[in-house]
Amino acid sequence: MPAPPLSTALVADPSVYTWIHASFGHCSSIRAKCVGAEGTSKHDLSLAILKIPVKFSLQIRTASSLPLPEENADTRPRIDFICFLINMADRDSIQVVEKSLSLVDIRYFLGRACLLVGGAHSHKRMTDIEQVTALSDSYNLPLVFGDIKVEKERDQLARRILCMVEIAAGFKEGVSPSVIDSTKYIST
């Protein structure tokens, strides 16, 4: 069977899935997407990740929600990893993520996506932690907790997310996306 182009979405055939992930290691670029409602500091996180020196091209795009617009869908580059951001001090934040998650291909939920939760220690919390963990459990997504607005925590979060992105794209030899599943709950 000939290998599909890298821009092809993952398909149900496991041999194609393996080929795509093995091929990522030979590419020189990774593309990630940060999805979250306004006020989740997705731009600050993206900039923190991009400040980390890497030996490959790293592109991070942000979106307030999914689906992405249909225009240019045929030329849109593949997305290697999706980071969904939830601000527990904003009730709309989790609703945006819930809606967006329902539109994502199920194969992204094997080490190619995570939930980053901010505002867990806020006294203005409007979302229950049980609701967030239930969302994580239903999509089998790792949870990463931290405050993006605090520079030290943002830098730590950026390094953790970058590591997940590198694993998902096949840039970490001997480590597969299933490793992320074994470290499901991570806190800074």
Side-chain angles (χ1 to χ4, degrees):
M1 174 170 95
L6 283 178
S7 61
T8 303
L10 293 178
V11 292
D13 181 1
S15 64
V16 174
Y17 179 82
T18 304
W19 179 86
I20 290 172
H21 270 280
S23 298
F24 285 161
H26 303 293
C27 295
S28 60
S29 65
I30 298 177
R31 293 173 189 91
K33 172 85 59 191
C34 289
V35 178
E38 296 300 321
T40 55
S41 302
K42 60 186 169 283
H43 297 286
D44 295 336
L45 176 66
S46 299
L47 290 173
I49 294 170
L50 291 171
K51 286 181 186 176
I52 301 170
V54 293
K55 296 179 180 178
F56 48 84
S57 170
L58 176 63
Q59 294 179 4
I60 301 177
R61 298 172 189 242
T62 62
S64 295
S65 64
L66 296 177
L68 298 174
E70 284 297 318
E71 67 184 47
N72 301 326
D74 56 334
T75 60
R76 187 175 294 133
R78 74 176 188 281
I79 299 171
D80 300 311
F81 191 85
I82 305 172
C83 179
F84 295 94
L85 290 90
I86 297 174
N87 179 359
M88 293 187 65
D90 179 4
R91 187 183 328 268
D92 295 334
S93 177
I94 194 161
Q95 293 171 347
V96 166
V97 170
E98 285 174 333
K99 182 181 177 225
S100 295
L101 282 168
S102 69
L103 301 170
V104 174
D105 187 307
I106 194 165
R107 287 167 283 246
Y108 272 86
F109 303 127
L110 178 61
R112 296 187 65 211
C114 74
L115 285 176
L116 192 152
V117 182
H121 301 295
S122 172
H123 65 282
K124 298 179 183 177
R125 217 168 55 198
M126 301 185 81
T127 304
D128 290 330
I129 193 69
E130 291 81 16
Q131 186 179 6
V132 174
T133 56
L135 186 63
S136 169
D137 290 343
S138 64
Y139 287 97
N140 200 27
L141 291 173
L143 280 173
V144 180
F145 292 92
D147 190 348
I148 297 172
K149 294 178 179 166
V150 176
E151 185 177 2
K152 185 176 179 180
E153 282 192 52
R154 181 176 53 242
D155 292 344
Q156 290 174 341
L157 290 169
R159 284 191 294 280
R160 287 182 185 207
I161 299 298
L162 179 60
C163 184
M164 288 182 187
V165 170
E166 289 174 324
I167 291 169
F171 277 58
K172 296 274 188 182
E173 284 192 40
V175 182
S176 70
S178 60
V179 169
I180 294 175
D181 189 48
S182 68
T183 60
K184 191 169 182 180
Y185 298 102
I186 302 172
S187 179
T188 58

